[in-house]
Amino acid sequence: MKSDSLKLGPQNAPHRALYHALGLTEEEIGRPLVGVVSSYNEIVPGHMNIDKIVDAVKLGVAMAGGTPIVFPAIAVCDGIAMGHQGMKYSLVTRDLIADSTEAMALAHGFDALVMVPNCDKNVPGLLMAAARLNLPTIFVSGGPMLAGRIDGGRASFSTISEAVGKFNAGTMTEEKLREYECKTCPTCGSCSGMYTANSMNCLTEALGMGLRGNGTIPAVYSARIELAKRAGMAVMELVRKDIRPRDIMTESAFRNALTVDMALGCSTNSMLHLPAIAHECGIEINLDIANAISEKTPNLCHLAPAGQTYMEQLDEAGGVYAVMHELSKKNLLDLNCITVTGKTVGENIAGCENQDPTVIRPVEDPYSETGGIAVLRGSLAPEGCVVKRSAVAPEMLVHEGPARVFECEEDAQAAINAGGIRPGDVVVIRYEGPKGGPGMREMLNPTSAIMGMGLGSSVALITDGRFSGATRGACIGHVSPEAAAGGPIGVVREGDIIRIDIPGNQLELLISREELAARMRDFVPKTKELTGYLKRYAALVSSGASGAVLN
């Protein structure tokens, strides 16, 4: 065991003295030391129940012969951070989480880890740490929130976000807005649609790093506690068999995850996180690979915000394994990949039939023959950009209109709220990329305002920033290179015509090559005065097209 170097022999008596100071018995010290990485805090709704998950994990580890020891990981609530400078600190926490977990695990000689994340950057940050450390590791998330109930139907965080736009447009009363506020997020858990947190928890299953149900069992269900106990027991089996994250997270496993991503219609943020996790495994996952997989993968699910189904319904329909079972009918997955169960993907999903074809479309009758995410390229995004194709109105899949240019999210939001955006416009928000933001803020507030004001079928938004998983509409993010790095988005002028062709994977600024070249020659990107962590982050972060990893 790795921890033996800290525990055995007379020379390690000082270490053992400190273990005794923790209240550990000799028997506990002699067992494998399993770090339980707890993301519990009292500010993130998706994390307020994680203390109970951690207690269940500890029991499972102990039942299987290990010694569980808890240490923390931070997490930011993207919903609370949205729309102000706090959002600059969301994506950047992914690397803080990976780095701090690496430091704690190696400083204390753990033999194995159980990661207990739930929300947006917390999940990929811990997956990055797992790949980097390569200790036997399993994931069990805090679970999704139940959908809210209002006006006879289900609702979620995107519902209340778009309700603000309706209120600003004068189509919703303040009293009704208050009702939405109180009913759309009724329980703890990660927000109830296929937003970033739930996307990444589902893709953790698809990668093979979590047990069945990790992404879909609701946070408030007792089955989530049972899952946590099983995860604690399973990590001890990984120790015994010496199965490690890089044995599981192979190139084939990432291709499986991208395939499931396209079938589920996950958040566009997965196109930041999967490449970053793969990077830690020494594997390159680029946007071209994503498009190639999307071209042959049917989109089987339209969960909120793309449709009116929610995570609890996906769980009832059979969850991620049922989606994978459908995909396997067209030989779209590598079924030989090993997983944290100690079994292959094929063994795991055998017999996992789709229980509700209204939630998970049969592979023979998909929403579309291509995946839920598309990567676009062109004169405006030479390195690529990303759109959640499954959440775009059909009439906006191809669109051409005048640019309305804004240097930051706040300016765009003010113009939208003031009624300054007209049908046909293409809203351009720049200097919000990884370097330019810095931190690549999510644009849920502007996109929700556009939808809430009834402009979703006539207005597009493009940015070098990114979007919340709760965003829907013709919203194109991760435009690369970003403005701060000298990208063409930095030279777009008010009134320039932009052409969006999502089926053709194109994003073009319709000016002559000569004019574009002249603008680029004269272009000097704007800079910002930065301090602290954001200054260091901006200096080190790479393009959104490569996962915004730190160099």
Side-chain angles (χ1 to χ4, degrees):
M1 293 187 297
K2 185 178 180 66
S3 62
D4 285 349
S5 62
L6 283 72
K7 297 188 301 189
L8 301 182
Q11 73 278 7
N12 283 321
H15 293 146
R16 293 194 297 275
L18 293 171
Y19 290 140
H20 285 299
L22 293 172
L24 297 181
T25 65
E26 290 184 5
E27 291 82 0
E28 288 174 304
I29 295 169
R31 295 171 182 166
L33 302 184
V34 179
V36 181
V37 187
S38 171
S39 303
Y40 169 76
N41 64 49
E42 294 183 338
I43 188 60
V44 184
H47 291 236
M48 62 181 286
N49 66 315
I50 279 179
D51 56 340
K52 297 177 177 61
I53 305 298
V54 166
D55 287 344
V57 167
K58 289 173 65 180
L59 185 57
V61 170
M63 286 192 295
T67 298
I69 302 174
V70 178
F71 65 87
I74 64 169
V76 164
C77 177
D78 277 25
I80 294 175
M82 196 73 65
H84 59 96
Q85 73 166 7
M87 182 47 69
K88 295 179 186 287
Y89 288 90
S90 173
L91 179 61
V92 304
T93 64
R94 187 184 70 182
D95 296 275
L96 282 176
I97 291 162
D99 292 348
S100 60
T101 302
E102 174 192 357
M104 287 295 288
L106 293 181
H108 300 104
F110 286 106
D111 297 300
L113 298 169
V114 181
M115 307 293 199
V116 190
N118 211 27
C119 286
D120 296 33
K121 311 312 159 307
N122 186 239
V123 182
L126 290 179
L127 281 164
M128 290 164 67
R132 194 181 297 175
L133 291 161
N134 206 32
L135 297 169
T137 301
I138 194 168
F139 278 66
V140 56
S141 77
M145 184 184 291
L146 292 177
R149 300 299 177 102
I150 190 166
D151 295 336
R154 290 181 169 91
S156 63
F157 186 69
S158 56
T159 311
I160 180 60
S161 298
E162 292 180 16
V164 175
K166 294 178 181 178
F167 173 75
N168 289 335
T171 59
M172 178 177 284
T173 66
E174 187 172 357
E175 182 181 16
K176 193 66 174 179
L177 180 64
R178 171 67 175 166
E179 183 183 357
Y180 272 57
E181 174 186 330
C182 294
K183 292 182 177 179
T184 48
C185 297
T187 70
C188 63
S190 48
C191 294
S192 56
M194 188 53 77
Y195 309 150
T196 306
N198 292 327
S199 294
M200 293 310 302
N201 283 322
C202 287
L203 295 181
T204 298
E205 272 190 71
L207 273 172
M209 290 296 294
L211 299 177
R212 182 181 184 182
N214 177 72
T216 59
I217 297 173
V220 295
Y221 284 11
S222 296
R224 175 65 54 179
I225 302 295
E226 295 178 32
L227 181 71
K229 292 175 185 176
R230 290 199 298 271
M233 291 186 281
V235 78
M236 295 308 299
E237 194 64 22
L238 294 175
V239 171
R240 283 187 278 273
K241 293 181 177 178
D242 195 30
I243 298 175
R244 297 169 182 261
R246 286 183 221 159
D247 300 326
I248 295 169
M249 291 193 286
T250 62
E251 183 173 351
S252 291
F254 279 102
R255 288 180 176 273
N256 281 351
L258 281 166
T259 301
V260 174
D261 187 346
M262 300 304 169
L264 284 172
C266 289
S267 164
T268 52
N269 282 315
S270 63
M271 292 295 99
L272 280 176
H273 300 321
L274 287 176
I277 299 160
H279 178 75
E280 296 290 350
C281 296
I283 297 166
E284 182 185 358
I285 297 294
N286 60 39
L287 298 184
D288 291 326
I289 293 172
N291 249 5
I293 290 174
S294 182
E295 286 173 8
K296 64 180 182 181
T297 305
N299 177 225
L300 305 182
C301 298
H302 269 191
L303 285 95
Q308 294 302 311
T309 51
Y310 296 84
M311 294 305 296
E312 63 208 70
Q313 293 165 282
L314 178 60
D315 187 62
E316 292 164 3
V320 175
Y321 277 20
V323 174
M324 295 177 77
H325 189 267
E326 287 291 336
L327 293 170
S328 71
K329 295 176 183 178
K330 285 199 169 183
N331 299 315
L332 294 172
L333 299 173
D334 185 338
L335 302 182
N336 295 314
C337 294
I338 196 69
T339 71
V340 289
T341 65
K343 300 177 181 179
T344 65
V345 169
E347 290 173 308
N348 286 345
I349 68 173
C352 296
E353 298 289 343
N354 181 1
Q355 300 299 309
D356 188 344
T358 68
V359 176
I360 304 170
R361 286 278 189 93
V363 75
E364 303 84 7
D365 182 30
Y367 284 103
S368 68
E369 294 292 343
T370 52
I373 291 176
V375 175
L376 316 183
R377 292 184 188 271
S379 58
L380 195 48
E383 293 179 2
C385 56
V386 181
V387 62
K388 189 169 183 174
R389 173 167 45 195
S390 59
V392 178
E395 58 268 35
M396 290 297 291
L397 290 171
V398 176
H399 179 75
E400 194 172 297
R404 304 297 311 282
V405 182
F406 302 95
E407 307 298 300
C408 64
E409 176 191 1
E410 288 84 354
D411 290 351
Q413 186 70 48
I416 296 166
N417 291 347
I421 302 302
R422 304 295 182 210
D425 286 349
V426 179
V427 177
V428 177
I429 305 177
R430 61 193 179 196
Y431 292 102
E432 291 287 7
K435 287 183 180 293
M440 209 176 186
R441 287 196 289 180
E442 291 184 344
M443 303 291 157
L444 178 60
N445 285 357
T447 60
S448 295
I450 287 169
M451 297 302 297
M453 297 177 81
L455 297 171
S457 60
S458 60
V459 170
L461 191 153
I462 70 171
T463 180
D464 51 10
R466 60 196 178 93
F467 296 112
S468 165
T471 287
R472 64 189 178 105
C475 302
I476 299 165
H478 311 190
V479 171
S480 302
E482 61 177 294
I489 191 174
V491 302
V492 179
R493 295 176 182 172
E494 188 81 6
D496 283 347
I497 302 301
I498 292 173
R499 179 173 173 78
I500 299 163
D501 181 358
I502 294 173
N505 303 110
Q506 294 291 310
L507 180 65
E508 301 288 350
L509 178 61
L510 298 185
I511 60 175
S512 70
R513 292 183 181 180
E514 293 77 14
E515 172 65 15
L516 179 58
R519 290 188 193 182
M520 293 298 290
R521 278 196 304 270
D522 297 334
F523 178 39
V524 178
K526 297 178 181 181
T527 58
K528 297 177 181 177
E529 289 295 324
L530 301 171
T531 59
Y533 181 50
L534 290 183
K535 184 176 183 178
R536 297 197 301 276
Y537 184 86
L540 296 174
V541 70
S542 69
S543 167
S546 56
V549 298
L550 298 187
N551 294 319

